[in-house]
Amino acid sequence: MTATKEEKYLQISKEIADYVGGENNILGVAHCATRLRIVVEDQAKVDMKKIETVALVKGAFVTGDQIQIIFGAGLVNEVYEVFAKYTHKENMTLQDVKSQATQKQNPIQRVIKSLSDVFIEIMPAILAAALLMGLSGLLGQQGLFGKKSIVEMVPMLAGLNRFISIVSSSVFSILPLIVVWSSTKRYGGRAILGLVIGALMLSNNLADAYQAAQGAVKVETISLLGLKIQLVGFQGGIIIALMMGFVVAKLDKFFERKVPNAVKLLLSPMFTVFVSAFLLFTVVGPVGRLLASGLTTGLVWMTQNLGFVGYAIFGGVQQIIVITGLHHLFGAIEGQLLVDTGRDFINPIASVAVCAQGGAVLGYLIPKWKDVKSRELCIPAFTSTLFGISEPAIFGVNLRNKYPFVAGCLASAVASVFVYFSGLTALGYGTTVLPGFAIVAPENNGYINYLIAHLIALVGGMLITLFIGKVVTKKNTEVNSTTVESKEETNNENKIESGIKAYATGELISIEDVKDPTFSKKIMGEGFAIIPTEGKVCAPCDAKVETIFFTKHAIGLKAVDGTEMLIHIGIDTVNLNGKYFKSYVKEGDYVKAGDTLITFEMDKVKNEGYDTVIPLVFTNPEKKFDIKNTKRRSVSLGEEL
């Protein structure tokens, strides 16, 4: 019997809840356009690899204390509805979730996150306008079918094209107004008061900012409380609108607290609007104009004065900026570019950067095509990049293997050079790669150049990854060969240990007895654990050190036969940030069974209140060792298990 949609989403919800450490580890749940966002108490309990295996999940990554799981537009809304009910978080507001997530973030992260929230709220309107504008440009573009445009070939479409043009331009003409509304709402004020200030910024009683800048209108100057104020509007003032939303929200909350209840409804909104308006013309407006001018001028200067080098640099680091989260700042900059110049040169660069990461995924996958797991991971990651979503590619494949990410950045730099020479720009922002085709500026053979730029990024990312991958593989083979020869010379043994040995002295217990559901429920995989009597952890078999966590509380190993395992010292000891731990190996080292890996001051760890049990789990359980005896008993270092 086929499961219904609700049953399928419920199963997905159950699995995600387990993999993020259980319902008790979930502080809040929300979603954006494509991602389910979960704020957790303890990230050590989260199994990101398991989350990525859940049905319909296109990728997952961590930002701050928030787990972001990519489902895609539309689908995420349906999954969120079921997941929120299952975890009993359906009554939480988005602001509640943000508050939980930002408690542990630094000030810069909080600012970036809040800016992202503002533009996520208005993104549907911007995308709608940009896509309609792109459609209008496509209908009116000459040269697609000979010398005539589609409208010229089919005159009956002229009215439709004119109507689409009017509709598409409406959003951009009121963009400052909706930014103030969204910003006020994001920072906790009453959004309707933000609309009032937004309407003031675009008021017909003020001189149009563009005409004033050209000297086409006479600007009225008044004296207000001894200050000379020029009555000029704020058309295109996206940065100013962001700042004003914050000001309105803070003033609204301030007057709501200070004004007596008897007259609050009458006076609080009035005070908020008047003081906000005063600050708009005296402080925020002038400062915002300088800031907006500096941002756009800086970017334009780089592209005009550094030429293709500036484009290459920007394209090369764009996805690095995505990792840091700073790319959310570009929403304001791109909005400012659109209202100042009518074109956005950042969007095509960002688009080829995403596409290049997709090409890098293909370059990584091609030599590993016979590996089913690689296909399962890489194909969805690549597909996501075609629709402008690079996180599955970055976090699921490229960064994990390092060199594909570097290759993608290099390919993006090359493609960005072509963007420069072709004069490629966009009519909007917020959508890239295939969907971005609809907002390409049609001049200068825009559609053809958009296609060429992305082919350069895609093929370049693939070829550079293949090349670097061969170099890396060759180097690893040489290192492995040298290491094996050295081992044979010193040990007179021609075979690898086929079993696994005790990696610590103490009491062997079942993995189910570990007092942490991540291990006891085998979320990370099968295994066992040792309750240590001394603070020393050794290699359980001949292996390569794959990963050492910077806190030194956990180490990942890969046996010669491909078996992967994780040794985790203590429960929640990640919180010690490496205190009391000392590592004797580094990533890439080859170790023999019994070699010392990590020592730790066991008594001090216990005194800090942490359980010192040491689980070992096989992270690719289909290749786990055959453990002969899992009965609870005392074991010594090096004892055969």
Side-chain angles (χ1 to χ4, degrees), residues 209-217:
Y210 298 122
Q211 294 182 11
Q214 298 170 3
V217 295

Side-chain angles (χ1 to χ4, degrees), residues 2 13 18 64 81 150 158 162 166 185 209 250 256 276 286 331 477-478 523 540 554 592 624:
T2 304
S13 298
D18 286 341
E81 204 170 287
I150 296 176
R162 174 60 177 156
I166 293 171
K185 182 180 178 182
K250 296 304 177 184
E256 280 292 289
S276 296
T477 301
E478 291 174 351
I523 292 173
K592 289 285 288 181
K624 65 178 180 289

Side-chain angles (χ1 to χ4, degrees), residues 478-616:
E478 291 174 351
V479 171
N480 185 50
S481 176
T482 302
T483 304
V484 171
E485 290 174 3
S486 175
K487 289 176 182 292
E488 290 178 350
E489 290 175 2
T490 57
N491 292 282
N492 295 319
E493 292 183 4
N494 294 319
K495 62 179 182 178
I496 301 299
E497 294 285 350
S498 60
I500 190 167
K501 298 179 179 179
Y503 50 90
T505 297
E507 185 177 11
L508 179 71
I509 63 172
S510 168
I511 193 70
E512 289 92 345
D513 293 331
V514 176
K515 297 175 181 177
D516 186 301
T518 303
F519 298 105
S520 62
K521 293 183 179 180
K522 302 180 182 179
I523 292 173
M524 299 182 67
E526 293 281 355
F528 50 90
I530 295 176
I531 301 174
T533 54
E534 62 177 340
K536 184 177 182 181
V537 177
C538 296
C541 62
D542 295 355
K544 178 185 176 182
V545 179
E546 291 283 302
T547 307
I548 297 180
F549 288 74
F550 72 95
T551 53
K552 304 181 183 67
H553 77 291
I555 183 169
L557 303 174
K558 187 173 184 178
V560 178
D561 69 348
T563 301
E564 297 174 358
M565 64 196 79
L566 174 74
I567 300 176
H568 195 286
I569 305 172
I571 303 300
D572 295 336
T573 46
V574 64
N575 298 324
L576 292 172
N577 291 317
K579 190 178 180 182
Y580 310 131
F581 291 82
K582 182 178 180 180
S583 174
Y584 291 82
V585 293
K586 62 182 183 299
E587 291 183 4
D589 284 353
Y590 287 84
V591 295
K592 289 285 288 181
D595 288 351
T596 301
L597 302 177
I598 296 172
T599 59
F600 63 103
E601 298 178 71
M602 190 173 65
D603 291 338
K604 291 183 179 180
V605 173
K606 285 183 177 180
N607 290 338
E608 293 274 2
Y610 294 95
D611 186 341
T612 58
V613 65
I614 310 175
L616 182 152

